[in-house]
């Protein structure tokens, strides 16, 4: 499997009856028919995606477009929003993001742990539960995708809410938490979050106990090297194989410090 451009090996079904085709030179504009209507890809059409572009649409929001072709590759159908596709591109990986030359310790690819700058890491863009772009480190994308695939076999759709965070992103979350701003949860000081070294994953589990995804994770996540490590945060899981093995040996899915 291609873990950095997962969409390339797949077939997608168009599930929206209004899957409009976008202009090549302006993806925010639509292609019109001679009669003045919009060109569309018919609902139910199976397509392949040969290219992806992400257009920023405001603060923390983006629109993901795919250049579609017929399944046999004989016809280019055009660009359309991936929201028109089955599963809306959730968990699809799009590209590798490498550190820029001369990138510093506060840059977008800078990893941190326990307040120490660890170095630059390669990241992979992935579509999250909100249809926005998150990033995972190159060495955790394969175990995460294995977890997703295993859940899917059991009829559970596992989705990401947050992955790797840069220093400025963590600072923003911590500042909002300290200031008690609406919508901000508890967040570690910048430089100290496990999200900054790439092993932490916030997974969409709603209220925790009773949620199908959470119940599946409790039964299965340690098998794949994932373990719960933070009290009162059922969404927070870490890829830490040694601690996951210990939890599994103890018939658990969490580390001893997790009491709720």
């Amino acid at each position: 499997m291609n873990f950095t451009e997962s969409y390339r090996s797949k077939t997608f079904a168009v599930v929206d009856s209004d899957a409009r085709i976008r202009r090549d030179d302006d993806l925010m504009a639509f292609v019109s028919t001679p009669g003045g209507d919009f060109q569309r890809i018919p609902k139910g059409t199976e397509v392949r995606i040969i290219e992806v572009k992400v257009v920023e649409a405001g603060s923390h929001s983006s629109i993901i477009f795919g250049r579609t072709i017929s399944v046999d590759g004989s016809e280019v159908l055009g660009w359309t929003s991936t929201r028109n596709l089955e599963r809306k591109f959730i968990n699809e990986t799009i590209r590798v993001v490498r550190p820029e030359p001369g990138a510093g310790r506060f840059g977008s690819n800078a990893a941190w742990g326990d307040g120490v700058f660890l170095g630059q890491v390669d990241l992979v863009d992935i579509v999250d539960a909100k249809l926005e772009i998150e990033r995972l480190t190159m060495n955790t994308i394969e175990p995460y995708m294995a977890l997703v695939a295993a859940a899917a076999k059991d009829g559970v759709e596992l989705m990401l809410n947050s992955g790797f965070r840069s220093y400025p992103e963590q600072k923003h979350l911590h500042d909002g938490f300290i200031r008690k701003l609406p919508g901000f949860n508890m967040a570690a000081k910048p430089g100290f979050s496990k999200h900054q070294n790439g092993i932490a994953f916030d997974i969409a589990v709603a209220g925790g106990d009773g949620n199908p995804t959470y119940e599946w994770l409790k039964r299965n996540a340690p098998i794949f090297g994932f373990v719960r490590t933070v009290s009162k945060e059922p969404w927070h899981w870490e890829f830490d194989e040694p601690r996951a093995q210990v939890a599994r040996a103890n018939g658990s899915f969490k580390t001893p410090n997790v009491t709720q």
Side-chain angles (χ1 to χ4, degrees):
M1 178 179 178
N2 184 341
F3 291 106
T4 60
E5 295 178 317
S6 60
Y7 64 90
R8 289 192 178 275
S9 60
K10 298 180 180 180
T11 297
F12 297 89
V14 174
V15 294
D16 194 320
S17 59
D18 192 26
R20 301 180 187 182
I21 297 175
R22 307 282 180 141
R23 285 174 43 179
D24 290 347
D25 61 341
D26 181 3
L27 292 175
M28 300 304 290
F30 303 108
V31 177
S32 299
T33 66
D37 195 4
F38 298 116
Q39 289 188 23
R40 297 175 175 85
I41 304 174
K43 182 178 180 180
T45 303
E46 291 193 333
V47 301
R48 289 173 48 217
I49 307 292
I50 57 173
E51 186 180 356
V52 170
K53 290 183 179 179
V54 180
V55 175
E56 299 303 320
S59 178
H60 303 293
S61 180
S62 57
I63 304 175
I64 305 161
F65 297 100
R67 188 167 182 243
T68 61
I69 62 172
S70 58
V71 172
D72 64 4
S74 63
E75 180 183 4
V76 175
L77 303 174
W79 289 93
T80 195
S81 168
T82 57
R83 293 170 185 254
N84 298 324
L85 306 178
E86 186 177 14
R87 297 186 57 256
K88 303 183 187 301
F89 237 51
I90 290 173
N91 283 325
E92 296 300 333
T93 56
I94 293 176
R95 62 168 183 155
V96 177
V97 181
R98 303 190 190 281
E100 295 184 0
R105 58 181 183 156
F106 300 114
S108 57
N109 290 64
W112 286 75
D114 297 325
V116 176
F117 170 56
L118 303 176
Q120 304 292 336
V121 293
D122 289 342
L123 301 172
V124 178
D125 280 350
I126 185 169
V127 183
D128 72 5
K130 302 178 292 296
L131 308 183
E132 297 171 358
I133 299 298
E134 300 293 339
R135 288 180 172 174
L136 301 181
T137 57
M138 187 72 82
N139 63 339
T140 60
I141 187 69
E142 184 171 351
Y144 172 73
M145 296 301 275
L147 192 70
V148 169
K153 286 183 180 178
D154 290 337
V156 173
E157 186 174 28
L158 193 152
M159 298 180 288
L160 191 67
N161 276 332
S162 185
F164 178 88
R165 295 178 194 155
S166 67
Y167 195 99
E169 288 169 334
Q170 188 64 32
K171 185 177 186 304
H172 170 73
L173 295 175
H174 181 256
D175 288 349
F177 166 64
I178 293 298
R179 295 168 62 192
K180 296 182 171 55
L181 297 179
F184 285 81
N185 297 316
M186 183 175 68
K189 289 174 24 178
F192 289 84
S193 171
K194 298 297 185 183
H195 285 279
Q196 291 184 256
N197 66 15
I199 70 169
F201 297 72
D202 286 352
I203 296 173
V205 296
D209 285 331
N211 175 274
T213 301
Y214 183 62
E215 295 298 333
W216 186 90
L217 286 168
K218 289 197 299 187
R219 295 190 302 271
N220 298 282
I223 299 171
F224 294 87
F226 290 82
V227 62
R228 255 202 71 191
T229 61
V230 181
S231 278
K232 300 181 181 180
E233 294 189 6
W235 57 84
H236 182 103
W237 295 77
E238 294 179 14
F239 180 65
D240 188 325
E241 291 179 293
R243 287 199 291 175
Q245 289 176 5
V246 171
R248 189 180 177 198
N250 292 332
S252 180
F253 57 91
K254 55 190 179 181
T255 51
N257 64 294
V258 178
T259 57
Q260 290 181 280

